Amino acid sequence: METLTESQLLCYHCGNECADDHLHIDDKHFCCEGCKTVYEILDQNNLCNYYALDEKAGISPQLAHFEFLDNAEIATQLFDFKNDTIAKISFYIPAIHCSSCLYLLENLYKLHEGVHVSKVDFLKKQVSVTFDYNALSLRQLAELLASVGYEPLISLNDVVKEKNKPSYQKLLTQIGVAGFCAGNIMLFSFPEYLGLDDAMYKHLFGYLNIVLSLPVVFYAGSGYFESVWKSLKKGIINIDFPILLGILVAFFRGTYEVIFLHGAGYFDSLTGLIFFLLAGKWFQQKTYHFLSFERDYKSYFPLAVTKLNQGKEEAISLNALKKGDKILVRNGELIPADALLYRGKAQIDYSFVTGESALESKKLGDFLYAGGRQIGETIELEILKEVSQSYLTQLWNNDTFQKQQQSRIKTFADLVGKYFTLTVLSLATIVATYWFFHDGNKVMNAFTAILIIACPCALSLSYPFALGNGLRILGKQKFYLKNAGVIETMAQCDTVVFDKTGTLTTAEGSLPVFHGKRPLTAFEETLVASLVRNSTHPVSQKIKQLYDDTLYLEINNFTEITGKGIKGLCNGYAIKLGSTDFVAPYLQADKKAYQTSVAHVQIDQEYLGYFALPNHYRTNIEALLQTITQRYDTYLLSGDNESEKKQLQGWFADAQHLQFNCTPQQKLDFIKKLQEQGKKVVMIGDGLNDAGALKQADVGIAITDDTLNFTPSSDAILEAKALPMLPKFFAYNQYALKVIRLSFVVSLIYNFIGLSFAITGDLSPVVAAVLMPISSASMVLITSVGMIWRGKYQFDE
């Protein structure tokens, strides 16, 4: 193989423009090794390999085109995460379109024991799968999905995740064919409409209608055949089954009438039905894509990352991080994107990705996957890929961090996927049987109309669109929720618990003051500064501000003990900084004598003194607490001393609701106690010393400043500057719940009215098909307009 330097050459496999130095085989050019490999596997010489049956793997001829996934280099580009046993990948699957799809794809583990868990993002048509790579290869996983009717769309140049823009070309072509044929069939049916009894034209037009209906049924409606066939092969009845059954019954009944009874058939209704069904599908896909785009690109995690710029540390927003940037990751912070380790000792906790908390040691030059959490000393990384907002959201929704409450949308999806289709089929069969014995002319109308009118699309749209719009609007206000169910849960809460340090207070304001028998030497200051640099705790960050111009030293064996303090080794010196209990327990008697928050310092077993940290409360915090207290029971849980108790008593309704000197476990136990009393609790903290309490609460909200340190068990992330808007967020969530209930009522009324007409046999199937996209549009209109209007009213006033 030789290298060409010609310009304007296009890749033979993907069509992209090749670089000046690129690969080629004979006269075929390739932009990358991946495209060349695919060509070598699939295209070279002939397609015998493509259609060869791999009996060992159980691959059908139609699935052999996934052979390229056996290439380790290609597979590495596709994985979200992989270690010795577990792999995680996200596939874009265009075929996802209904709640039965959700049920089937989230139960892949029942089809193959190598699948651990699979989660569907319905709006983005994406499934994330965690699987045992030793039991199930990537190729076999793709084949498994394709075998049940959900073939993944895989691009080697742009691994199709959230950046994929869906193509509607085939669907629009099918709509065009159905519309053209339906219009002409209606023209040919005019003699029938006008009551003209010309036998020759009636028969001619009848046969023409059969011919015109063929491409509508077998091309425009082909998606229903494929979906049903693949689900039946796995012993599953999906939601497309009753629709396809209605189509086939109408087609064959119409054909029988034209050929044997010289009638007109049902071809105008049949083709009109398919046209409107496809139009409704296109409408749903467009609206889903819009909502997904808004969620991924216009709403960002309100988090920051520490970028290294010529040795200087600079806090930038997460979405501003670019490939090639060098960043600092401190103890407990998240790796925001795939990166290369170039300084420091990395101990990575990938529980955020895999659900397993075992630490993985990494050496210089190792590749680190996004989503890992550094435990220990500060490390420096070079970003290899840009931040994926949707991937971080997906990790955040890992089942490991889910709470006991179950989102209604998932319950609804399971219910529909398992029971809805059989219920509708049973009802349609019973009604058809009734009319068969009482009025045979109504059998077809009643049977088909029930199958179409009872489609749950309208009902299932109201929930995701109401809360989806809520997620998007709240995200623009710097309040980022884990998932849609958080809105509903938060709206039902009646108790709010606040942490103090890092939540009500901020690291800004007056700098700490050191108190000791003597001032710290320059070297001791450097040791302290180097130690606190490794921690994201507000106390550490405030002390670090004293020594911003210090040349930091390397800290070894850095350890941060939640609720107590930090320690480490530097050039043989042991340094400790933290609470009285942690650093100097013999000062216990003086514990309540301090007039402010303190952090004690010890170097090489010598107690040097303490930093006094004046509390600086966030802007408008008093007004916030007074507003919240009027509507909710409010509590304060602080690990700090009681120096601020007198001031805080004026902001809370009951002095008994203020708890100080709390350990992380005591905070968690207090939340449990409130819940045992029947209260639904929102916990608001910084996610450092209150991670357990955030997880235990019905809704845990992590406040963030310039840090990537938040607990994955929290349900929401709130930018600190947006904290004064918390009462508005509560009000907006309660309004969302009202909109959902209203839309459910409207949807149920539509279904009851439609079914009442369908059962009587007086509702034409084509009218039912017209009503279905109209009802879907109505649900989207009610929920979207309601949520958007309220958002503008609530947040723009």
Side-chain angles (χ1 to χ4, degrees), residues 712-732:
S713 299
S714 64
D715 301 287
I717 307 169
L718 177 60
E719 187 173 298
K721 294 178 181 178
L723 183 60
M725 297 181 65
L726 191 62
K728 291 186 176 182
F729 296 147
F730 275 107
Y732 186 70

Side-chain angles (χ1 to χ4, degrees), residues 452-464:
I452 304 305
I453 204 72
C455 179
C457 296
L459 192 64
S460 60
L461 276 175
S462 58
Y463 194 98

Side-chain angles (χ1 to χ4, degrees), residues 174-180 182 216 220 270-280 769:
Q174 291 174 324
I175 292 173
V177 169
F180 172 81
V216 179
L270 171 64
T271 53
L273 168 66
I274 294 175
F275 173 77
F276 286 111
L277 286 173
L278 294 176

Side-chain angles (χ1 to χ4, degrees), residues 85-200:
T85 56
I86 295 175
K88 187 180 181 73
I89 190 169
S90 297
F91 286 121
Y92 174 70
I93 301 181
I96 296 176
H97 69 285
C98 71
S99 39
S100 286
C101 303
L102 286 173
Y103 175 74
L104 178 60
L105 289 172
E106 293 195 347
N107 284 275
L108 286 177
Y109 67 92
K110 295 180 179 179
L111 303 180
H112 197 292
E113 61 183 9
V115 177
H116 289 181
V117 64
S118 52
K119 298 290 291 183
V120 175
D121 189 322
F122 192 48
L123 298 180
K124 293 201 295 282
K125 296 181 179 294
Q126 191 176 89
V127 60
S128 173
V129 184
T130 302
F131 63 102
D132 184 344
Y133 192 72
N134 297 320
L136 180 69
S137 70
L138 181 58
R139 172 188 176 183
Q140 291 171 327
L141 176 60
E143 289 162 354
L144 174 65
L145 288 166
S147 71
V148 294
Y150 298 97
E151 181 170 338
L153 178 61
I154 302 173
S155 166
L156 296 179
N157 298 298
D158 180 7
V159 183
V160 186
K161 300 192 189 303
E162 73 276 4
K163 293 185 179 180
N164 185 77
K165 183 177 181 180
S167 172
Y168 304 107
Q169 182 176 352
K170 181 179 179 181
L171 180 58
L172 290 174
T173 303
Q174 291 174 324
I175 292 173
V177 169
F180 172 81
C181 294
N184 282 280
I185 287 174
M186 289 178 184
L187 286 175
F188 291 146
S189 300
F190 261 85
E192 182 73 17
Y193 297 155
L194 299 175
L196 303 178
D197 195 18
D198 189 318
M200 183 183 72

Side-chain angles (χ1 to χ4, degrees), residues 33-67:
E33 187 67 35
C35 288
K36 181 181 75 69
T37 302
V38 174
Y39 167 76
E40 290 173 334
I41 294 173
L42 300 182
D43 302 322
Q44 198 171 17
N45 300 326
N46 56 58
L47 297 179
C48 292
N49 291 334
Y50 183 85
Y51 291 101
L53 180 63
D54 188 339
E55 295 182 355
K56 181 178 179 181
I59 306 167
S60 69
Q62 292 80 10
L63 302 182
H65 58 283
F66 287 118
E67 286 181 357

Side-chain angles (χ1 to χ4, degrees), residues 546-693:
L546 284 171
Y547 310 113
D548 271 345
D549 296 329
T550 300
L551 181 62
Y552 300 112
L553 302 176
E554 182 178 348
I555 297 292
N556 296 314
N557 299 332
F558 177 84
T559 304
E560 185 161 1
I561 302 176
T562 302
K564 293 187 176 181
I566 56 178
K567 63 181 180 178
L569 292 174
C570 181
N571 294 332
Y573 291 91
I575 319 155
K576 295 178 74 174
L577 185 143
S579 67
T580 307
D581 294 343
F582 180 63
V583 176
Y586 47 83
L587 298 177
Q588 189 69 250
D590 298 329
K591 187 173 182 180
K592 296 183 179 180
Y594 302 107
Q595 299 302 309
T596 183
S597 302
V598 298
H600 298 273
V601 182
Q602 177 180 287
I603 297 179
D604 265 359
Q605 305 301 317
E606 180 185 357
Y607 176 75
L608 300 178
Y610 63 90
F611 288 94
L613 297 100
N615 285 296
H616 184 78
Y617 290 95
R618 299 189 186 276
T619 305
N620 297 323
I621 200 68
E622 181 178 357
L624 162 69
L625 292 173
Q626 289 176 348
T627 303
I628 294 289
T629 301
Q630 291 174 4
R631 302 178 183 178
Y632 300 88
D633 289 336
T634 55
Y635 295 82
L636 176 75
L637 301 180
S638 176
D640 216 339
N641 58 50
E642 299 184 3
S643 60
E644 297 289 312
K645 183 174 182 179
K646 186 175 181 180
Q647 180 173 357
L648 291 167
Q649 282 178 346
W651 298 348
F652 287 82
D654 190 341
Q656 299 300 316
H657 288 187
L658 306 181
Q659 303 289 325
F660 296 94
N661 299 309
C662 296
T663 65
Q665 182 62 44
Q666 287 172 335
K667 292 180 181 181
L668 187 152
D669 292 339
F670 189 84
I671 298 295
K672 279 185 179 179
K673 183 178 178 181
L674 291 176
Q675 291 172 327
E676 289 170 358
Q677 296 171 5
K679 296 183 182 294
K680 296 180 179 178
V681 183
V682 175
M683 173 69 194
I684 304 172
D686 60 8
L688 296 173
N689 295 340
D690 46 29

Side-chain angles (χ1 to χ4, degrees), residues 9 20 210 227 240 258 264 486 525 549 649 679 693 728 790:
L9 294 174
D20 290 339
I210 292 177
S227 173
D240 288 333
V258 169
V486 177
E525 289 180 346
D549 296 329
Q649 282 178 346
K679 296 183 182 294
K728 291 186 176 182
R790 183 67 177 194

